[in-house]
Amino acid sequence: MTSLAEVPLAPADTTTTAVRLAGARAGLADISSLLAGAVGTSLAHHAPGPLPAGTPAEVLAAASRALGPAALPERGAGELPALQLLARVMSEYGVNLAHPHAAAHLQPPTLTVAVAADVLASAGNGSLDTYDSGPAGIAVERWLIGALTRLARLGPDADGVLTPGGSLSNLLGLHLARDAAALRRGVDVRRHGVAALPGPRVLCSEIAHFSVHRACAALGLGEDAVIPVATDRDHRMRPDALADALAALGPDETPIAVVATAGTTDFGTVDPLPAVTEIAAHHGVWTHVDAAYGFGTLFSDRLAGRLDGIESADSVTLDLHKIGWLPAATSVLLVSDPAGFGALDREVAYLNPADDADAGFDGLLGRSLQTTRRADAVKAAAAFLAHGRSGLGAMVDRCHDLARHAQARIESEPALELVAGADLTTVVFRYRGADPAADDRLNAALRRSLLETGTALIGRTEVRLPGADPAADPALAGAPATDAAPRRVCLKFTLLNPTTTTDDIDRLVAAVLAAGRRCGHHARERTA
């Protein structure tokens, strides 16, 4: 047998980049110098607008050319040149969410302290599944979960876990709800699957986030398990409709959960949580609150009351990469009773044997569908410790004020139609063209025009407009006579930049008006 000492080693290749590891003392110093060089490149190539100008094909092709051939280079260029190349590509061809005219999605600019903390978490590369994979990260996540459960008033036994995003938090919440509902029927879904679970049903608002449907598909319930509950004119779930839907379920149907929305994607509206949770509790059904958008109102003294009733939920989704200004992804699932996590519990000899767990050498494996899980709580803890509730609350209030100003500006413009006002930080509206029959196409075109010129980044959605009459409005020609409110293309400001000014909002509205006139003129020329 050949001994290890007799095995020849490959000669060191001095032409390749030296290996420097972030966790070492010298490596931490290297990170600082590398970031300084990359930031200098980013500043030199900082884009003037929220998006690069050009068509998507042009921008993506330019970014690809800058990167070079899509092949792993035989020899590296070195750390700083590689980082500077990527810094240039990200600055020239990426999105600048800190620009005051970036107002499309629930995607905020990030706090500098959170970005710096995220670098520290990445440098350590700890995982949260076992104690010996990263005790500091486990401690920080437990601290953060404690702060969030107290903020939501979920009770002293409440618990939670960080996830890769709001869709995954909703999936996990419904996973726990499914297994709890099945156990009440004597079905062990974890071992035997969902086939033995009769008629699973998940009730949610008709404008709930699409991730509810996707979660039901992934959990084996099927998208047909979702029962949409009617909303009122303010886009909130109607408690009477929920009560009727639950009462109508037959003995061969299993209610899995009622999903309430606290902060709808388009409108920022909050379902009546006290009534919803009371009705669900009366029927013995799990209540999951999707507060991915709206949870951040709890930072604000002005807006926190909108989430009254959340303390009665069984599980809550929240995204700190929305109202929280953290780098994505920083989502959290909170549960009022940690026993629900029993559906995820696992004992694995190479990770968490029972005797190690009994001795305290345990991690957070049993709270997640993931095994390796990075310490995302570090960036959240940094923001909480740096700014506190009052600082974050002031940012929430500022964005709410900006949305109210945008609403007022839209209402003052004859060419614009307000569709939904500033309930939280979003405003939905339409541009009125000369030909109402072409307004949907015009609104879509003007948004693309703003994107292509790099002038502004605004959102688009579709909304059922109350009072629209297919017989009276040429734009609704062909719509079913029974549908008095067909879906229409609308524009949306999502305002999550607390450094934006009211003057910036005025200029953004002016840019929309100019694009509407320009696109309307081009449309008339094409039809002339």
Side-chain angles (χ1 to χ4, degrees):
M1 178 181 294
T2 303
S3 70
L4 182 62
E6 295 172 326
V7 177
L9 299 178
D13 187 350
T14 57
T15 64
T16 59
T17 301
V19 176
R20 297 193 281 189
L21 301 178
R25 291 176 62 89
L28 291 173
D30 291 338
I31 292 172
S32 177
S33 61
L34 286 170
L35 285 176
V39 167
T41 300
S42 294
L43 291 172
H45 295 275
H46 204 258
L51 276 182
T55 66
E58 292 168 345
V59 171
L60 295 173
S64 295
R65 285 194 300 272
L67 289 168
L72 181 66
E74 185 64 31
R75 301 201 181 279
E79 292 176 334
L80 184 57
L83 203 57
Q84 287 176 322
L85 172 60
L86 289 170
R88 176 195 158 196
V89 170
M90 296 300 289
S91 293
E92 285 192 2
Y93 307 110
V95 61
N96 178 9
L97 296 173
H99 193 282
H101 290 174
H105 304 292
L106 289 168
Q107 185 184 9
T110 53
L111 292 167
T112 54
V113 68
V115 173
D118 208 24
V119 172
L120 294 178
S122 293
N125 201 34
S127 179
L128 304 183
D129 51 327
T130 64
Y131 173 85
D132 56 345
S133 294
I138 292 172
V140 173
E141 178 158 319
R142 304 315 301 145
W143 180 91
L144 179 68
I145 293 299
L148 292 170
T149 56
R150 278 189 285 275
L151 190 63
R153 310 183 306 281
L154 286 175
D157 296 327
D159 206 341
V161 65
L162 271 74
T163 82
S167 292
L168 270 295
S169 290
N170 284 340
L171 172 66
L172 186 56
L174 290 176
H175 185 301
L176 303 186
R178 181 200 67 182
D179 285 17
L183 286 175
R184 287 196 295 272
R185 278 189 170 263
V187 176
D188 188 345
V189 169
R190 173 170 164 173
R191 291 184 177 275
H192 305 301
V194 298
L197 187 62
R201 300 289 182 260
V202 172
L203 296 89
C204 64
S205 155
E206 61 186 344
I207 57 171
H209 195 265
F210 70 90
S211 60
V212 174
H213 292 76
R214 194 156 64 176
C216 288
L219 291 169
L221 307 177
E223 293 197 11
D224 286 348
V226 178
I227 298 178
V229 179
T231 56
D232 59 23
R233 292 178 67 89
D234 294 322
H235 312 289
R236 296 173 173 86
M237 183 190 290
R238 284 172 39 200
D240 63 316
L242 173 64
D244 290 346
L246 283 169
L249 295 179
D252 58 342
E253 295 176 291
T254 305
I256 301 296
V258 171
V259 180
T261 306
T264 54
T265 303
D266 282 336
F267 311 111
T269 48
V270 178
D271 289 338
L273 300 182
V276 169
T277 55
E278 181 180 355
I279 292 167
H282 175 73
H283 288 269
V285 181
W286 184 292
T287 301
H288 175 73
V289 177
D290 179 1
Y293 178 15
F295 189 90
T297 59
L298 293 176
F299 299 135
S300 162
D301 289 335
R302 179 201 300 174
L303 301 174
R306 300 189 182 193
L307 262 65
D308 285 350
I310 198 171
E311 67 276 3
S312 299
D314 294 290
S315 57
V316 177
T317 286
L318 63 110
D319 283 356
L320 294 173
H321 56 255
K322 291 184 172 69
I323 295 184
W325 298 276
L326 300 187
T330 321
S331 184
V332 184
L333 178 76
L334 302 178
V335 294
S336 61
D337 182 356
F341 282 127
L344 306 174
D345 190 32
R346 287 289 185 276
E347 181 187 334
V348 186
Y350 52 80
L351 289 176
N352 61 342
D355 56 333
D356 273 2
D358 291 341
F361 292 88
D362 200 8
L364 303 178
L365 178 66
R367 284 170 171 75
S368 175
L369 292 170
Q370 300 171 262
T371 302
T372 300
R373 207 159 50 80
R374 72 189 302 269
D376 284 313
V378 173
K379 56 195 173 189
F384 281 23
L385 292 169
H387 294 277
R389 180 175 179 266
S390 62
L392 294 169
M395 295 166 65
V396 174
D397 291 345
R398 175 61 181 165
C399 292
H400 184 227
D401 288 340
L402 290 170
R404 292 195 295 187
H405 179 80
Q407 174 181 339
R409 285 288 291 110
I410 289 166
E411 289 178 309
S412 72
E413 293 291 343
L416 300 178
E417 173 191 359
L418 181 71
V419 173
D423 209 80
L424 190 49
T425 68
T426 58
V427 184
V428 182
F429 63 99
R430 280 167 58 83
Y431 182 88
R432 292 188 177 110
D435 179 8
D439 274 357
D440 280 358
R441 293 189 298 274
L442 177 57
N443 278 271
L446 82 82
R447 175 180 176 270
R448 288 192 293 269
S449 173
L450 292 171
L451 296 178
E452 190 169 322
T453 58
T455 303
L457 176 57
I458 67 172
R460 168 181 172 171
T461 189
E462 291 184 359
V463 179
R464 295 189 187 279
L465 302 184
D469 182 0
D473 187 347
L476 306 182
T482 57
D483 186 359
R487 302 178 71 85
R488 305 298 300 274
V489 174
C490 297
L491 304 175
K492 181 172 63 170
F493 292 155
T494 304
L495 300 167
L496 291 177
N497 184 345
T499 67
T500 296
T501 68
T502 54
D503 287 343
D504 292 325
I505 297 299
D506 292 343
R507 286 189 284 269
L508 179 59
V509 171
V512 170
L513 292 169
R517 289 190 294 268
R518 184 170 61 251
C519 292
H521 175 71
H522 292 163
R524 289 190 295 274
E525 284 186 335
R526 286 193 298 270
T527 57

